[in-house]
Amino acid sequence: MAASPSTARAINDRLALRLLQQEGPLTAGQLKQLTGLSRPTVADLVERLTAAGLIAVAGEAGEQRRGPNAKLYGIVADRAHLAALDVRTEGVTVVVSDLVGGVLAEAALPITGDAGTGPAVEQAVALVERTAKEAGADRLHTVGIGAPGLIDPASGELRDSTGLPEWHRRLVAALQERLPEARVSVENETNLAALAEQRDGAARDRDTFVLLWLGHGTGAAVILDGTLRRGASGGTGEIGFLPVPGTRGLPSATDCGGGFHSLVGAAAVAELAEEYGVVAEPGTEPPAAGAVRTAVAAAGPASPSGPASPPGPASPEARFLDALADRIAVGVASVVALLDPGHVVLGGEVGQAGGEALAARVRDRLAALSPLPADVRPSTLGGGAVLRGALLTARDQAQDELFGAPGH
């Protein structure tokens, strides 16, 4: 059935706006070429989007060209301002951007465990307000939040999780109350990291992959056929609770101690590094990530494991990375056996610090553990992936509302 004229216009408008988002400013001729639309249709949509305040002339194409055909049209970036938050157990980081994602201001604030729920929430909300003011944003259109824990798939709210600060849950409601005109949404931090890696990072060429988050906590995000999978209760990827060999005891419904987290969580990685005498340069980054980065710098590239390994004693740094890869591969092999994603990204601060040296070791061990092939790559965004994912999500939500859905 043919689309109505209004629906066709909406579809064409969104197509043009998406191209301007992806490519930057374009001339009417370039829009015609990229969309395949006729010249009169492109002229109409340019006039319509300009009148709506969504696009404006951003310059001219070429130094010698002049006239209407040389005009470059771009999205009006200050039509809306966005905020993205990365909420961690020990603090919060905030970024404020324009509608196309250009960062205008950024700030971070440590929040100690003894701050108290009320004061912690107030500190975080005040940080958002200060950062927005610094960015010159009179109001925020959309706020995207990344936080550890489960997101209720029915309500979209952060569920109460054992071990996480109460101020995390209270923060969402407090932001909505203080910013009544803003659209506030929250998503699991690992899921946001995966979306960022898919758009801008190590999984740009993949529509099916798993991100294994290796940082203060342990988690996984699953993207199948281009879609983020959250599960019936929002708990897809709670791999920290996965029972694995090599731990003392088993995890419980309220404690992931004894699960995969006990092997590869930040505390476990730091303890493993200490066993091998690997010490990070103090104060540069979290101890676990710092130890891994120090080991990579000293050990160099991975060598094959098993009997085929070259003779001679390995350095303590290399043996530490080998032991860490042994641990990580246990969890990766379980994921590959269940999902067969073909591709696993080692994310978080530890995954980024390990780089290709750690990823190659895990890849080597995985080949020996699983009959299913899977590439293992290091994150290219690391700990910043959560904030990047929150910003991308906020941008998409704002653009969906401002650009209008087809048929509306």
Side-chain angles (χ1 to χ4, degrees):
M1 188 171 65
S4 67
S6 62
T7 300
R9 285 194 296 271
I11 293 172
N12 292 339
D13 289 354
R14 284 174 65 83
L15 175 58
L17 287 163
R18 289 300 181 197
L19 285 169
L20 291 170
Q21 171 65 62
Q22 295 165 8
E23 306 292 335
L26 298 168
T27 65
Q30 290 170 326
L31 282 171
K32 174 183 178 298
Q33 182 180 10
L34 292 170
T35 61
L37 299 172
S38 68
R39 189 178 302 277
T41 300
V42 169
D44 287 344
L45 74 81
V46 166
E47 182 179 354
R48 192 163 52 246
L49 295 175
T50 302
L54 292 175
I55 68 173
V57 175
E60 291 190 341
E63 295 181 2
Q64 306 301 323
R65 297 184 61 188
R66 295 291 185 269
N69 292 334
K71 289 181 179 178
L72 283 167
Y73 295 93
I75 293 174
V76 178
D78 61 1
R79 174 67 186 268
H81 291 98
L82 322 170
L85 283 72
D86 180 2
V87 178
R88 304 290 180 99
T89 304
E90 67 280 3
V92 60
T93 303
V94 178
V95 160
V96 174
S97 82
D98 57 30
L99 182 58
V100 296
V103 174
L104 303 174
E106 183 172 1
L109 180 71
I111 298 179
T112 59
D114 57 0
T117 299
V121 170
E122 176 58 33
Q123 289 177 46
V125 173
L127 180 68
V128 174
E129 293 175 332
R130 288 198 306 271
T131 309
K133 183 177 181 181
E134 180 185 339
D138 295 330
R139 59 177 290 266
L140 293 173
H141 182 282
T142 305
V143 179
I145 303 171
L150 301 179
I151 307 299
D152 189 317
S155 66
E157 296 178 352
L158 189 64
R159 288 169 50 184
D160 187 13
S161 300
T162 303
L164 294 177
E166 174 63 22
W167 68 267
H168 283 195
R169 296 183 69 241
R170 292 273 297 276
L171 176 60
V172 179
L175 281 169
Q176 192 66 81
E177 182 179 342
R178 290 270 278 271
L179 306 170
E181 296 180 336
R183 177 180 178 179
V184 180
S185 63
V186 62
E187 177 60 270
N188 173 267
E189 60 177 355
T190 308
N191 288 344
L192 289 177
L195 293 174
E197 293 286 356
Q198 185 184 35
R199 298 273 284 273
D200 296 335
R204 276 176 294 183
D205 58 344
R206 300 284 179 153
D207 63 0
T208 294
F209 71 97
V210 170
L211 171 82
L212 179 60
W213 184 264
L214 301 169
H216 178 74
T218 308
V222 178
I223 292 184
L224 302 178
D225 300 323
T227 302
L228 176 67
R229 307 295 180 174
R230 295 180 175 84
S233 63
T236 295
E238 287 296 309
I239 196 173
F241 285 87
L242 180 72
V244 292
T247 64
R248 301 185 185 96
L250 291 170
S252 69
T254 58
D255 185 2
C256 59
F260 185 52
H261 176 78
S262 294
L263 290 183
V264 298
V269 173
E271 184 178 331
L272 183 67
E274 188 175 347
E275 289 179 18
Y276 284 91
V278 178
V279 180
E281 188 176 334
T284 55
E285 56 186 324
V292 171
R293 198 178 303 279
T294 296
V296 168
S303 58
S305 62
S309 297
S315 67
E317 292 84 3
R319 288 188 288 117
F320 160 62
L321 291 176
D322 289 341
L324 179 57
D326 287 340
R327 294 184 175 193
I328 295 171
V330 171
V332 172
S334 301
V335 169
V336 169
L338 286 172
L339 298 175
D340 189 19
H343 180 62
V344 177
V345 176
L346 303 184
E349 294 87 350
V350 169
Q352 185 185 41
E356 177 58 24
L358 180 59
R361 284 173 165 85
V362 175
R363 191 163 56 239
D364 176 54
R365 284 150 180 79
L366 180 62
L369 288 173
S370 173
L372 305 178
D375 186 23
V376 181
R377 300 180 186 178
S379 161
T380 58
L381 301 177
V386 176
L387 198 62
R388 180 61 182 162
L391 183 58
L392 288 169
T393 301
R395 191 186 74 184
D396 289 348
Q397 290 173 347
Q399 290 183 355
D400 283 344
E401 181 177 326
L402 292 171
F403 294 173
H408 291 275

